[in-house]
Amino acid sequence: MERARSGRRLVLYSHDTMGLGHQRRSLLIARVLARAAPGTAILMIGGAVVPGTLGALPPGVDVLILPGLRKDLDGG
């Protein structure tokens, strides 16, 4: 991620099991903050993104997708 000119950095996290509504809400928050505080680097972190659901990201907003975890049959 490119360093913000203002030095401000913000992270928005949405757990992957919370659904796409949480990702959409995080994106809406990121868009509002990007307009309100130009130059702020905003990183959205989540566990999954369905292609095409986020649309175009505003300048200064990046997305980091973390690998999902799963349990085996024994619960490990």
Side-chain angles (χ1 to χ4, degrees), residues 5-25:
R5 287 173 291 180
S6 67
R8 292 178 294 210
R9 295 181 289 173
L10 177 68
V11 173
L12 301 171
Y13 174 74
S14 178
H15 191 274
D16 59 333
T17 62
M18 294 298 177
L20 295 176
H22 287 258
Q23 289 179 353
R24 288 189 192 113
R25 184 174 31 238

Side-chain angles (χ1 to χ4, degrees), residues 34-68:
R35 272 195 308 266
T40 300
I42 301 169
L43 178 62
M44 293 178 42
I45 300 175
V49 169
V50 177
T53 58
L54 292 181
L57 296 174
V61 178
D62 290 303
V63 176
L64 173 65
I65 304 303
L66 300 175

